[in-house]
Amino acid sequence: MGAGKRGLLTAAVTVVCAVTVLAAPGTAFAAPTPTPTPTPSASPSAAPGKDLEAVREKLDALYHDAAVATDQYNAAEEAADEQSAAIVALAKKIVKGQERLAELKKRAGAAAAAQYRSGGLPDEAQLMLSDDPEDFLNGAGRVLQGQRATKGLLEELTRTQEDLEQYADDASAQWERLEANRKAKAAAKKKVKQQIAAAEELESKLEKKEKERLARLEQEAAYKAQSTWLDSGILDEINGKASAQGKKAVEYATSQIGKPYEWGAEGPGSYDCSGLTSQAWASAGQPIPRTSQEQWKQLKKIDIKDMRPGDLIIYNSDASHVAMYIGDGAIVHAPRPGRTVTIAGAGSMPILAVVRPDA
């Protein structure tokens, strides 16, 4: 990343999220002055025993569970789409198979009718009754051809019937899986809404000043994690250059900054975390799995020191969040409900792995 872009990035980070100061290692950082958490008696609106740090942790847990359920919803939706397409393809095969079967039965019926018209005697018998040697020799070839044709017709008829039975079985199995995934999708959707509703209800009980203090607590936690990550000297080792596709993916993702998070969304007006990363890489001509968990499972793992812009960072032990690395220790991501696509510190959350879509 050039010096000009690096300066713009640092400025953007400062404006968007002051907690993710993204300068080079070794720069002195002044941590924000912590705001004392009020005691229950200091906050008339607070319920007895209320602690904003506990509230922050509870909100984190609720939004984390919502993110896990969102991944489950997205996975079920993707599977349902695939199964629906498979059922349509099988239906087309069944129609063609039925048409072929009708044609073969018609041919078999014609052969039976011809045999009836000849007195019911097979070609071999009629040949043996012939007194003309030349007719006998000519007829021998026709009999052989007729036997082969009849055998081929019967074999194809049998194969077509077997294929139709298999298509029907496959379609039935796909329907069962489709219904199972519809139920999983509905259950995940219900859980997402429940978790988000619980988080919103918890936040709604806070006074304005408490919400401001809670926001500062979130910033301090992210700042501390990012500072620890930077202080490890990790940026001394990270100097990878973005690939051509990686640059396109970064350009797409950063152009979405400011758009709202919406669970299950893939743009263009809103995104969830994996919706943003999957669409960014799709725009670069590299389709990747839809969910953060599948991105973690299927894409090539990369050492953090080898990380380059465009790579995806998978967060949390259950791979419930994903962001795109954009260089200089920064990421762009869709954080959670109530937030917008933004720039943050790559080390502000617990890193599980780094994966590369265009490995």
Side-chain angles (χ1 to χ4, degrees), residues 102-145:
E103 179 188 347
L104 291 170
K105 286 182 176 180
K106 183 178 179 181
R107 286 171 54 189
Q115 183 177 351
Y116 176 79
R117 286 193 299 270
S118 66
L121 291 175
D123 290 341
E124 295 92 329
Q126 293 183 48
L127 177 63
M128 295 301 295
L129 294 175
S130 173
D131 295 327
D132 189 330
E134 185 175 354
D135 284 347
F136 181 90
L137 292 174
N138 291 334
R142 290 197 302 273
V143 168
L144 184 59
Q145 291 175 353

Side-chain angles (χ1 to χ4, degrees), residues 69-89:
T70 296
D71 238 22
Q72 293 169 346
Y73 174 90
N74 291 334
E77 183 177 49
E78 188 174 39
D81 288 344
E82 292 174 354
Q83 285 145 9
S84 295
I87 289 170
V88 170

Side-chain angles (χ1 to χ4, degrees), residues 98-272:
Q98 288 173 332
E99 291 173 351
R100 181 60 178 160
L101 187 62
E103 179 188 347
L104 291 170
K105 286 182 176 180
K106 183 178 179 181
R107 286 171 54 189
Q115 183 177 351
Y116 176 79
R117 286 193 299 270
S118 66
L121 291 175
D123 290 341
E124 295 92 329
Q126 293 183 48
L127 177 63
M128 295 301 295
L129 294 175
S130 173
D131 295 327
D132 189 330
E134 185 175 354
D135 284 347
F136 181 90
L137 292 174
N138 291 334
R142 290 197 302 273
V143 168
L144 184 59
Q145 291 175 353
Q147 288 176 334
R148 289 173 178 172
T150 301
K151 182 180 179 182
L153 176 64
L154 293 176
E155 287 177 350
E156 187 174 357
L157 190 62
T158 301
R159 279 199 309 271
T160 302
Q161 289 174 324
E162 290 174 347
D163 287 345
L164 280 171
E165 290 175 4
Q166 186 61 54
Y167 295 155
D169 289 343
D170 290 347
S172 178
Q174 289 289 1
W175 271 114
E176 290 178 6
R177 285 194 285 271
L178 178 61
E179 286 304 306
N181 274 298
R182 282 175 175 167
K183 291 178 181 178
K185 181 178 170 182
K189 181 178 181 179
K190 182 179 179 180
K191 183 168 184 180
V192 172
K193 290 188 171 183
Q194 287 176 337
Q195 299 303 105
I196 293 176
E200 290 174 343
E201 182 182 4
L202 183 58
E203 289 182 294
S204 70
K205 293 178 180 179
L206 300 174
E207 297 290 344
K208 181 180 179 181
K209 289 184 178 179
E210 290 175 323
K211 289 180 181 179
E212 291 172 351
R213 288 195 293 271
L214 179 63
R216 284 197 291 271
L217 282 174
E218 292 176 350
Q219 291 174 349
E220 288 165 12
Y223 178 90
K224 182 178 179 181
Q226 175 71 357
S227 295
T228 300
W229 190 70
L230 290 175
D231 289 345
S232 70
I234 189 67
L235 287 191
D236 288 337
E237 300 183 61
I238 301 174
N239 56 12
K241 302 294 183 181
S243 65
Q245 283 186 306
K247 288 179 182 178
K248 290 180 180 179
V250 169
E251 287 172 4
Y252 180 96
T254 53
S255 69
Q256 310 309 309
I257 289 173
K259 292 184 179 181
Y261 177 102
E262 181 182 357
W263 69 270
E266 299 177 81
S270 57
Y271 298 86
D272 62 20

Side-chain angles (χ1 to χ4, degrees), residues 256-315:
Q256 310 309 309
I257 289 173
K259 292 184 179 181
Y261 177 102
E262 181 182 357
W263 69 270
E266 299 177 81
S270 57
Y271 298 86
D272 62 20
C273 67
S274 57
L276 177 65
T277 54
S278 60
Q279 287 302 304
W281 272 100
S283 75
Q286 181 67 50
I288 63 174
R290 169 64 176 89
T291 69
S292 59
Q293 292 181 345
E294 289 305 311
Q295 289 171 8
W296 170 60
K297 290 177 183 177
Q298 296 185 35
L299 301 181
K300 184 176 180 180
K301 308 293 189 301
I302 299 296
D303 287 340
I304 291 181
K305 64 181 178 61
D306 297 324
M307 190 162 57
R308 68 190 188 193
D311 287 344
L312 305 182
I313 303 181
I314 309 296
Y315 291 99

